[in-house]
Amino acid sequence: MTLIELRDLTRSFPGPPEVQALKAVSLEVAAGDYLSITGPSGSGKSTMLNILGLLDRPTVGEYRIDGIVTGALSEDERAAVRAQRIGFVFQAFHLMPRRTVLENVMMPTLYSGVPRAEREQRARDALSRVGLGHRVGFLPTTLSGGERQRVAVARAVVSRPSILLADEPTGNLDQAMSREVLSLFDDLRGDGLTLIVITHDPAVAAHAERRIRIIDGRVSEES
Ligand code: ADP
Ligand code: MG
């Protein structure tokens, strides 16, 4: 089943000089796919992630998620699709330093209408899933980098999205911690999550099943 479909998508930033950060990109991603995206600095990776995450809109072309033509949606509708279907993980973790691990993971469900007890249970379940059930009451500052990124992953999946978008998720981690995060990605994928991971690290890219390259705004796939 096709989950994500980009068709002839271009994103230009007005200049001068105008920059075409993505040029006529077409890509189909099936539910359950695991993709890596690599490319030189300035090649369009973050622009791609922002569009996939509904944080930005293409200048030309179409982006469908689950058949939904996202260009036709209002900002509120886009925010709703984002909240229900997409989880984000970033290089710098972006955890709230004065909130406990549990509170951080509960945050995305704050306005979901789900009762607090249920939200807390879901957050505890997500933390158990990333192997941090014993850290719920800790502050993020007392955790290792690998543990912090696992908290961020728990936060990204607590709303049970179908897509996880990660921008350099191992960029701040040493090799052992990177392996922890990669093994966690394998688990999530086993549960049916669709993963799209931007990375500079060839070992991280090699872990994915489909490898996408972006060079100067143009996308190609390694076979
Ligand atoms: P990457 O993440 O691969 O390093 P980006 O997607 O951030 O690349 O950027 C791709 C190109 O688009 C670069 O030339 C960058 O300068 C340009 N660009 C990105 N965002 C903006 C913006 N908001 N305004 C103008 N130019 C931008
Ligand atoms: Mg970038």
Side-chain angles (χ1 to χ4, degrees), residues 11 13-14 19-22 39-48 50 167 198 200 214:
R11 175 61 165 114
F13 294 104
V19 175
Q20 288 200 335
L22 295 175
S41 181
S43 58
K45 302 182 298 297
S46 294
T47 303
M48 178 87 156
N50 290 341
D167 198 348
I198 290 179
H200 272 100
I214 305 189

Coordinates of all heavy atoms in Angstrom, one line a residue, residues 11 13-14 19-22 39-48 50 167 198 200 214, ligand 1:
R11 N 10.5 22.8 -4.7 CA 10.4 23.8 -3.7 C 11.4 24.9 -4.0 O 12.7 24.6 -4.0 CB 10.7 23.2 -2.3 CG 10.8 24.2 -1.2 CD 9.4 24.9 -1.0 NE 9.3 25.7 0.2 CZ 9.3 27.0 0.3 NH1 9.3 27.8 -0.8 NH2 9.1 27.6 1.5
F13 N 12.9 28.7 -3.2 CA 13.0 29.9 -2.3 C 13.3 31.1 -3.1 O 14.3 31.1 -3.8 CB 14.1 29.6 -1.2 CG 13.8 28.5 -0.3 CD1 14.4 27.3 -0.4 CD2 12.8 28.6 0.7 CE1 14.1 26.2 0.4 CE2 12.5 27.6 1.6 CZ 13.2 26.4 1.4
P14 N 12.4 32.1 -3.0 CA 12.6 33.3 -3.8 C 13.9 34.0 -3.4 O 14.3 34.0 -2.2 CB 11.4 34.2 -3.4 CG 10.8 33.6 -2.2 CD 11.3 32.2 -2.0
V19 N 16.5 30.0 -5.2 CA 17.1 28.6 -5.0 C 16.1 27.6 -5.2 O 15.0 27.6 -4.6 CB 17.8 28.5 -3.6 CG1 18.3 27.1 -3.4 CG2 18.9 29.5 -3.4
Q20 N 16.3 26.6 -6.1 CA 15.4 25.4 -6.2 C 16.0 24.4 -5.3 O 16.9 23.6 -5.7 CB 15.3 25.0 -7.6 CG 14.5 25.9 -8.4 CD 13.9 25.3 -9.7 OE1 14.5 24.3 -10.2 NE2 12.8 25.8 -10.2
A21 N 15.5 24.3 -4.1 CA 16.0 23.3 -3.1 C 15.6 21.9 -3.4 O 16.4 21.0 -3.1 CB 15.6 23.7 -1.7
L22 N 14.5 21.7 -4.1 CA 14.1 20.4 -4.6 C 13.6 20.6 -6.0 O 12.8 21.6 -6.3 CB 12.9 19.8 -3.7 CG 13.3 19.4 -2.3 CD1 12.0 19.0 -1.5 CD2 14.4 18.3 -2.2
G39 N 23.1 13.0 1.4 CA 23.4 14.0 0.4 C 24.3 15.1 1.0 O 24.2 15.3 2.2
P40 N 25.0 15.8 0.2 CA 25.9 16.9 0.7 C 25.1 17.9 1.4 O 23.9 18.1 1.2 CB 26.6 17.4 -0.5 CG 26.2 16.5 -1.6 CD 25.1 15.7 -1.3
S41 N 25.8 18.7 2.3 CA 25.2 19.9 2.9 C 24.6 20.8 1.9 O 25.3 21.1 0.8 CB 26.3 20.5 3.7 OG 25.8 21.6 4.4
G42 N 23.4 21.3 2.1 CA 22.8 22.2 1.1 C 22.1 21.5 0.0 O 21.6 22.2 -0.9
S43 N 22.0 20.2 0.0 CA 21.5 19.5 -1.2 C 19.9 19.4 -1.2 O 19.3 19.1 -2.2 CB 22.1 18.1 -1.3 OG 21.8 17.3 -0.1
G44 N 19.3 19.7 0.0 CA 17.8 19.7 0.0 C 17.2 18.7 1.0 O 16.0 18.5 1.0
K45 N 18.1 18.1 1.8 CA 17.6 17.1 2.8 C 16.5 17.6 3.8 O 15.5 17.0 4.0 CB 18.7 16.4 3.5 CG 19.8 15.8 2.6 CD 20.9 15.1 3.4 CE 21.7 16.0 4.3 NZ 22.4 17.1 3.6
S46 N 16.9 18.7 4.4 CA 16.0 19.3 5.4 C 14.7 19.8 4.8 O 13.6 19.7 5.3 CB 16.7 20.4 6.2 OG 17.7 19.8 7.0
T47 N 14.9 20.4 3.6 CA 13.7 20.8 2.8 C 12.7 19.7 2.6 O 11.5 19.8 2.8 CB 14.1 21.5 1.5 OG1 15.0 22.6 1.8 CG2 12.9 22.0 0.7
M48 N 13.3 18.6 2.2 CA 12.5 17.3 1.9 C 11.8 16.9 3.2 O 10.6 16.6 3.2 CB 13.5 16.3 1.5 CG 12.9 14.9 1.2 SD 12.3 14.9 -0.5 CE 12.2 13.2 -0.7
N50 N 11.1 18.7 5.8 CA 10.0 19.6 6.2 C 8.8 19.4 5.4 O 7.7 19.6 5.9 CB 10.6 21.1 6.0 CG 11.6 21.4 7.1 OD1 11.7 20.8 8.1 ND2 12.4 22.4 6.8
D167 N 15.9 13.4 11.5 CA 16.9 14.3 10.8 C 18.2 14.1 11.6 O 18.3 14.7 12.8 CB 16.4 15.7 10.8 CG 17.2 16.6 9.8 OD1 18.3 16.1 9.3 OD2 16.8 17.7 9.5
I198 N 17.2 10.8 7.7 CA 18.3 11.6 7.1 C 19.6 11.4 7.8 O 19.5 11.5 9.1 CB 17.9 13.1 7.1 CG1 16.8 13.4 6.2 CG2 19.1 14.0 6.7 CD1 16.4 14.9 6.2
H200 N 24.2 11.6 7.7 CA 25.5 11.7 7.1 C 26.3 10.4 7.2 O 27.3 10.2 6.6 CB 26.3 12.8 7.8 CG 26.1 14.1 7.2 ND1 25.3 15.1 7.8 CD2 26.6 14.7 6.1 CE1 25.3 16.2 7.1 NE2 26.1 16.0 6.1
I214 N 20.2 12.7 -2.4 CA 19.8 14.0 -2.9 C 21.1 14.7 -3.3 O 22.0 14.8 -2.5 CB 19.0 14.8 -2.0 CG1 17.8 14.1 -1.4 CG2 18.6 16.1 -2.6 CD1 16.8 15.0 -0.6
Ligands
ADP1 P1 20.5 20.2 3.6 O1 19.5 19.9 4.7 O2 20.7 19.1 2.6 O3 21.8 20.7 4.1 P2 18.6 22.3 2.9 O4 17.3 21.6 2.6 O5 18.6 22.9 4.3 O6 19.8 21.4 2.7 O7 18.8 23.5 1.9 C1 18.8 23.3 0.5 C2 19.0 24.6 -0.3 O8 17.9 25.5 0.0 C3 20.2 25.4 0.2 O9 20.8 26.0 -0.9 C4 19.7 26.3 1.2 O10 20.5 27.5 1.3 C5 18.3 26.7 0.6 N1 17.3 27.0 1.6 C6 16.8 26.2 2.6 N2 15.9 26.8 3.4 C7 15.8 28.1 2.9 C8 15.0 29.3 3.2 N3 14.2 29.2 4.2 N4 15.2 30.4 2.5 C9 16.1 30.4 1.4 N5 16.9 29.4 1.1 C10 16.7 28.2 1.8

